């Protein structure tokens, strides 16, 4: 019999009537039972039974008293234990990009539901979380709620919001549909990605910039839509002009900028900066404006290398886009100056016509340290793709110089700088 069920039966035996009168005051027996029960439950951690001792791995046992103390401080008996993924646990651009599985205690406070997180672990260690969740759910005789045990997905509803979720058409998991226009409403996001991999849907162009030496690189820019960014547009403009002069086709190429070409890039950025400073730098503010409302003064300032520049808007619009553009130019100018002084090189990858399947291959190979066997690739994708589809995609990436395939499958220099967030996980950020 469950330990807490025994306690409840003991308390019931002590209070046999619905209510009793004591010193002219009526006591609600059921309420008193609940109060005493919670006091017993939250006072001390019951010892592990032999069955529990055998079923729990050694890694979980030191965590039990830590979590128990956090639950005790809540001060009331939990209603449920839930395990939910948190993909926002990473902070770009550090290497801490691993999603976390978080253990939450759900309770009532005072008329609504509330949850406190009592523990979390990264995806690579997350198998411990369900064991802990089941343990405490059994101890309290309450539900353990874990809507996405097979994959990372932070779109699942909380325990008390299950009525707001729908079941994924593909995997039947409970999730809350996204309000983003490009996301389907009938399937969860992981299943959406799987469909894109199976159908080999184009994912768009990507633009990656990093600097360093040999295998030690730091990423300074990444975008799927480089022409929507002033920073990316400035760099593309430079390379389009340079490639036209050298009769180079600017399409799906790895650009190594070093030596003289690096000085050309630095000069280009410096020229852009000076032109913008000359165009938008303010003259002295006239005396009759000094005492007027600050709303009339729409100028902004930029601090750079111990100097302060005051910029005024043109008659046609706001100064803030110009300020943002200048700040990016100054940042990039400093990067190029650093590379010149330290004899480092800059790598630019403009990858066109990649598909979701290509990116899935990149992400997997990056996650395995940049080198895998063909058997590993098959085991990863055999539930989604046929052997012919796997081989066809692999050969395409080899031909386009993203991968090398002999005894093992390895990322080339171009492949190491392609693949979106998977690339970030394998950079030395500074």
């Amino acid at each position: 019999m469950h330990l807490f069920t025994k306690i409840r039966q003991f308390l019931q035996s002590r209070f046999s009537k619905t209510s009793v009168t004591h010193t002219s005051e009526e006591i609600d027996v059921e309420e008193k039972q609940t109060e005493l029960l919670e006091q017993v439950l939250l006072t001390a951690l019951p010892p592990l039974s032999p069955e529990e001792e055998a079923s729990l791995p050694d890694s979980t046992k030191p965590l039990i008293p830590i979590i128990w103390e956090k639950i005790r401080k809540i001060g009331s008996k939990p209603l449920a234990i839930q395990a939910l993924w948190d993909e926002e646990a990473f902070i770009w651009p550090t290497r801490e990009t691993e999603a976390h599985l978080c253990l939450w205690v759900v309770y009532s406070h005072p008329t609504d539901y509330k949850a406190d997180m009592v523990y979390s672990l990264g995806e690579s260690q997350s198998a411990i979380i369900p064991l802990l969740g089941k343990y405490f759910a059994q101890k309290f005789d309450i539900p353990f709620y874990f809507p996405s045990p097979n994959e990372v997905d932070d779109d699942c509803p909380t325990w008390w919001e299950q009525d707001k979720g729908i079941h994924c058409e593909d995997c039947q998991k409970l999730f809350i549909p996204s309000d983003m226009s490009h996301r389907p409403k009938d399937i969860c996001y992981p299943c959406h990605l799987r469909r894109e991999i199976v159908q080999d849907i184009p994912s768009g162009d990507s633009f990656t910039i990093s600097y360093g030496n040999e295998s030690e690189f730091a990423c300074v820019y990444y975008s799927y839509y480089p022409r929507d960014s002033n920073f990316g547009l400035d760099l593309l403009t430079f390379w389009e002009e340079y490639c036209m002069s050298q009769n180079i086709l600017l399409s799906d190429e790895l650009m190594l900028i070093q030596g003289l070409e690096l000085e050309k890039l630095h000069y280009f950025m410096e020229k852009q900066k000076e032109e913008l400073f000359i165009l938008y730098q303010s003259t002295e503010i006239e005396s009759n404006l000094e005492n007027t409302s600050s709303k009339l003064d729409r100028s902004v300032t930029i601090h750079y290398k111990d100097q302060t520049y005051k910029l005024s808007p043109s008659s046609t619009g706001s100064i803030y886009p110009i300020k943002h553009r200048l700040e990016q130019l100054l940042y990039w100018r400093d990067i190029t100056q650093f590379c010149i002084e330290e004899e480092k090189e800059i790598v630019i990858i403009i990858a066109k016509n990649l598909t979701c399947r290509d990116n899935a291959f990149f992400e997997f190979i990056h996650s395995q340290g940049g080198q895998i066997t063909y058997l590993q690739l098959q085991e990863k994708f055999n539930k989604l793709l046929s052997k012919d589809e796997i081989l066809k995609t692999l050969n395409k990436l080899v031909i386009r110089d993203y991968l090398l395939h002999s005894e093992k499958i390895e990322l080339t220099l171009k492949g190491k700088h392609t693949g979106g967030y998977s690339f970030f996980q394998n950079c030395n950020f500074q």
Side-chain angles (χ1 to χ4, degrees):
M1 184 181 297
H2 196 281
L3 174 62
F4 293 152
T5 303
K6 292 180 179 179
I7 295 173
R8 188 177 287 108
Q9 289 178 352
F10 169 75
L11 292 173
Q12 288 171 347
S13 69
R14 298 292 300 272
F15 296 90
S16 58
K17 297 180 180 180
T18 304
S19 64
V20 297
T21 302
H22 179 68
T23 61
S24 302
E25 181 181 342
E26 190 175 82
I27 300 175
D28 187 298
V29 174
E30 185 175 350
E31 182 180 338
K32 190 65 176 177
Q33 288 177 359
T34 302
E35 181 184 337
L36 290 173
L37 176 62
E38 289 184 355
Q39 290 176 3
V40 173
L41 295 180
L42 298 170
T43 298
L45 173 64
L48 293 174
S49 67
E51 294 79 10
E52 290 171 333
E53 186 80 34
S55 64
L56 289 174
D58 292 339
S59 56
T60 64
K61 294 171 186 175
L63 302 177
I64 289 175
I66 297 173
I67 296 174
W68 182 270
E69 180 62 20
K70 292 181 179 181
I71 296 175
R72 189 187 65 79
K73 289 181 178 179
I74 293 172
S76 62
K77 180 177 179 289
L79 301 175
I81 305 289
Q82 66 180 13
L84 296 174
W85 291 100
D86 181 9
E87 288 194 278
E88 299 302 322
F90 70 83
I91 301 175
W92 191 92
T94 66
R95 299 182 70 178
E96 186 63 28
T97 58
E98 189 176 35
H100 281 59
L101 183 58
C102 305
L103 193 66
W104 298 80
V105 174
V106 181
Y107 56 97
S108 181
H109 179 79
T111 58
D112 200 357
Y113 294 106
K114 190 175 179 180
D116 281 3
M117 189 179 72
V118 293
Y119 210 75
S120 73
L121 285 170
E123 184 180 358
S124 59
Q125 299 175 299
S126 61
I128 293 176
I129 295 294
L131 298 175
L132 293 168
K134 291 176 183 177
Y135 169 80
F136 284 102
Q138 290 172 358
K139 285 295 183 185
F140 285 107
D141 195 17
I142 57 176
F144 173 60
Y145 173 69
F146 187 13
S148 185
N150 299 320
E151 60 195 353
V152 175
D153 190 349
D154 61 356
D155 290 330
C156 297
T158 61
W159 174 78
W160 63 89
E161 293 179 321
Q162 295 179 61
D163 59 326
K164 297 180 181 179
I166 65 172
H167 289 281
C168 173
E169 190 177 279
D170 287 4
C171 70
Q172 300 304 306
K173 175 181 61 197
L174 201 64
F175 79 104
I176 296 179
S178 170
D179 56 1
M180 297 181 183
S181 59
H182 67 281
R183 293 268 295 272
K185 307 304 179 187
D186 57 341
I187 58 172
C188 65
Y189 188 59
C191 286
H192 166 59
L193 294 180
R194 278 191 285 270
R195 286 188 182 185
E196 287 190 326
I197 293 171
V198 171
Q199 297 169 16
D200 208 17
I201 294 175
S203 65
D205 301 341
S206 68
F207 183 40
T208 308
I209 309 167
S210 53
Y211 71 88
N213 286 323
E214 298 178 354
S215 60
E216 298 292 325
F217 284 92
C219 180
V220 291
Y221 185 80
Y222 176 81
S223 176
Y224 266 129
Y225 307 102
R227 294 191 181 279
D228 291 342
S229 162
N230 288 333
F231 194 31
L233 184 58
D234 287 329
L235 293 173
L236 278 178
T237 301
F238 170 81
W239 277 106
E240 285 170 346
E241 292 175 356
Y242 172 76
C243 289
M244 286 180 62
S245 67
Q246 302 296 318
N247 295 319
I248 298 173
L249 179 64
L250 185 65
S251 174
D252 189 24
E253 294 288 340
L254 179 150
M255 307 287 184
L256 283 176
I257 315 174
Q258 52 191 345
L260 181 60
E261 301 307 331
L262 190 58
E263 292 180 5
K264 287 182 181 179
L265 177 60
H266 185 264
Y267 174 76
F268 174 80
M269 292 296 173
E270 182 69 18
K271 184 179 178 182
Q272 293 285 311
K273 181 205 76 172
E274 293 298 333
E275 288 177 356
L276 286 171
F277 271 145
I278 292 170
L279 186 60
Y280 290 97
Q281 189 167 356
S282 291
T283 57
E284 290 292 327
I285 298 178
E286 296 180 10
S287 58
N288 65 341
L289 292 180
E290 288 182 354
N291 298 320
T292 59
S293 169
S294 60
K295 292 182 180 179
L296 295 177
D297 182 11
R298 294 184 297 148
S299 60
V300 297
T301 57
I302 290 181
H303 304 282
Y304 181 65
K305 293 190 180 302
D306 299 325
Q307 293 188 21
T308 299
Y309 297 87
K310 191 162 189 173
L311 310 175
S312 290
S314 67
S315 59
T316 58
S318 169
I319 191 63
Y320 290 101
I322 304 301
K323 178 177 182 289
H324 179 64
R325 183 181 180 88
L326 261 172
E327 287 172 340
Q328 291 183 328
L329 278 170
L330 293 173
Y331 170 73
W332 185 250
R333 179 191 176 283
D334 289 345
I335 292 292
T336 54
Q337 182 67 41
F338 171 78
C339 290
I340 291 171
E341 293 174 354
E342 299 295 325
E343 297 185 347
K344 295 182 181 296
E345 60 188 17
I346 292 174
V347 177
I348 294 182
I349 298 291
I350 303 173
K352 293 182 177 291
N353 303 319
L354 292 178
T355 68
C356 294
R357 186 184 298 176
D358 298 334
N359 283 324
F361 275 43
F362 282 131
E363 183 150 349
F364 176 60
I365 299 171
H366 275 300
S367 70
Q368 302 301 308
Q371 186 182 87
I372 60 171
T373 65
Y374 182 68
L375 180 60
Q376 285 177 293
L377 190 67
Q378 279 191 319
E379 290 175 347
K380 174 66 177 178
F381 293 102
N382 64 1
K383 294 181 180 179
L384 294 176
L385 307 172
S386 68
K387 290 182 179 180
D388 288 343
E389 290 171 326
I390 294 172
L391 188 57
K392 180 181 177 181
T393 303
L394 175 60
N395 288 338
K396 177 182 69 173
L397 295 176
V398 169
I399 291 172
R400 294 183 63 179
D401 193 33
Y402 289 105
L403 300 177
L404 292 172
H405 183 203
S406 53
E407 294 183 0
K408 290 191 174 182
I409 300 169
E410 298 180 63
L411 293 165
T412 63
L413 179 60
K414 190 161 79 169
K416 290 178 181 178
H417 294 265
T418 307
Y421 286 111
S422 57
F423 165 72
F424 294 151
Q425 296 178 18
N426 292 272
C427 282
N428 295 312
F429 291 94
Q430 297 183 3

